[in-house]
Amino acid sequence: MPAIPLEEQTIVTRLVEAIRPQIGIDSTGAIVEAANAALSAWEQRDPDVRGPRVVAVNQTNGSVTLG
């Protein structure tokens, strides 16, 4: 899913905006759903963009599993 730098900054910003309200909630499912919603919105805007989805998030160490 290559992106030009401005698009890359935009998607990272959108992911942070979507995920930030979910941090600290007991369910990592809310974080996964928020991240995937932001990725889906980006794909809908640009039909040439396709990529993996977030499968799991470890809130303890910050790791993200994509699938």
Side-chain angles (χ1 to χ4, degrees), residues 13-46:
T13 300
R14 296 288 186 258
L15 284 167
V16 170
E17 289 171 347
I19 293 169
R20 183 178 291 145
Q22 308 306 327
I23 301 297
I25 295 176
D26 290 337
S27 171
T28 58
I31 295 173
V32 170
E33 287 179 29
N36 287 333
L39 293 170
S40 291
W42 186 35
E43 286 184 352
Q44 289 175 3
R45 186 183 63 78
D46 186 346

Side-chain angles (χ1 to χ4, degrees), residues 41-65:
W42 186 35
E43 286 184 352
Q44 289 175 3
R45 186 183 63 78
D46 186 346
D48 293 331
V49 173
R50 293 286 174 259
R53 290 293 185 261
V54 177
V55 176
V57 174
N58 183 322
Q59 291 191 58
T60 303
N61 66 16
S63 64
V64 176
T65 304

